Amino acid sequence: DGGITQSPKYLFRKEGQNVTLSCEQNLNHDAMYWYRQDPGQGLRLIYYSQIVNDFQKGDIAEGYSVSREKKESFPLTVTSAQKNPTAFYLCASSYSGTRSSYNEQFFGPGTRLTVL
Amino acid sequence: QQQVKQSPQSLIVQKGGISIINCAYENTAFDYFPWYQQFPGKGPALLIAIRPDVSEKKEGRFTISFNKSAKQFSLHIMDSQPGDSATYFCAAVPALTGGGNKLTFGTGTQLKVEL
């Protein structure tokens, strides 16, 4: 089956710990994205990557880091510098955008992170 | 600063009724407007989308109405069904200038369709 997988589904972390969320896609998409979802705030872009070994900050990158060593994988690390990390994290992927078209973003099932 | 404003925050509709969700934007660089549907515990999925060169797009029971001069667009769900109960997000994408498919989302509307 083609798609996007995120693991784990639920994650608990103690304050002061870094934690890494996994995102893998087998859709052969060039671009990958990380969003954070909080109640009443919609989805906010954390980081995105249009090509391997390159990524850009989104609107709320502070306290997060990413890597893009493989086309299929885009892990997100939530560092201890993130002040309020409890949220639902969504990974997405798409073909890279061109000037003439928008490419649909496909979302994974999400990881719910809770900081204890 | 919320670039895409969405209302209402929640909506209860009777089965068979019409659900209407509204969005407004300020950035005139936006030129693609998708709607996403999200069920609890799942990721959002694209429902329907529109470009500003048309005023309406219909797919089955779902219709987007677009008012470019007012910078507003809305989702209409005709003959609403209990299976439509979900959270709906409007979004906007700027004209592609090398920034990728950057989606700006509204805050979401929780729709409940009652029997």
Side-chain angles (χ1 to χ4, degrees):
Chain A
D1 287 338
I4 303 173
T5 56
Q6 292 186 242
S7 61
K9 188 173 179 65
Y10 299 97
L11 188 57
F12 297 89
R13 186 195 97 176
K14 293 182 180 179
E15 277 193 46
Q17 289 181 335
N18 292 354
V19 62
T20 298
L21 282 59
S22 169
C23 178
E24 303 277 335
Q25 56 97 1
N26 61 4
L27 300 169
N28 199 33
H29 285 162
D30 305 296
M32 297 186 75
Y33 313 79
W34 274 106
Y35 293 89
R36 170 181 171 139
Q37 183 173 16
D38 297 282
Q41 294 195 50
L43 283 74
R44 293 179 290 168
L45 183 64
I46 303 172
Y47 269 98
Y48 65 103
S49 168
Q50 293 178 267
I51 195 170
V52 174
N53 292 322
D54 187 45
F55 48 83
Q56 287 78 41
K57 293 182 179 180
D59 301 318
I60 55 165
E62 185 176 350
Y64 300 97
S65 65
V66 294
S67 63
R68 186 84 188 278
E69 297 177 0
K70 298 188 301 182
K71 185 175 183 178
E72 301 80 16
S73 179
F74 191 40
L76 173 74
T77 297
V78 184
T79 75
S80 56
Q82 169 51 233
K83 302 296 184 192
N84 184 21
T86 294
F88 189 49
Y89 290 88
L90 288 157
C91 177
S93 70
S94 74
Y95 292 111
S96 287
T98 67
R99 288 188 174 273
S100 61
S101 67
Y102 165 76
N103 292 296
E104 178 184 350
Q105 288 187 26
F106 293 83
F107 285 82
T111 292
R112 187 165 297 281
L113 173 64
T114 302
V115 174
L116 304 172
Chain B
Q1 182 183 1
Q2 189 67 39
Q3 293 195 53
V4 179
K5 296 183 179 179
Q6 183 173 347
S7 63
Q9 187 173 356
S10 62
L11 181 61
I12 299 175
V13 173
Q14 296 299 307
K15 179 183 175 183
I18 302 173
S19 304
I20 302 174
I21 303 170
N22 301 299
C23 286
Y25 65 97
E26 297 182 357
N27 187 350
T28 56
F30 290 141
D31 76 344
Y32 191 79
F33 301 88
W35 284 88
Y36 279 80
Q37 179 187 54
Q38 184 181 29
F39 293 103
K42 307 291 185 183
L46 180 65
L47 185 64
I48 187 173
I50 195 168
R51 289 197 179 278
D53 52 349
V54 297
S55 60
E56 185 175 283
K57 182 174 183 180
K58 184 175 181 179
E59 290 184 1
R61 296 185 294 109
F62 300 91
T63 300
I64 301 178
S65 297
F66 191 88
N67 185 331
K68 187 174 181 178
S69 61
K71 291 186 283 187
Q72 295 176 347
F73 58 109
S74 60
L75 176 70
H76 291 64
I77 306 174
M78 312 300 288
D79 188 26
S80 299
Q81 299 296 313
D84 296 331
S85 297
T87 300
Y88 293 81
F89 293 95
C90 62
V93 185
L96 296 169
T97 56
N101 293 331
K102 289 182 66 178
L103 284 164
T104 297
F105 283 91
T107 50
T109 297
Q110 276 193 308
L111 171 66
K112 182 178 181 181
V113 181
E114 293 183 335
L115 293 169

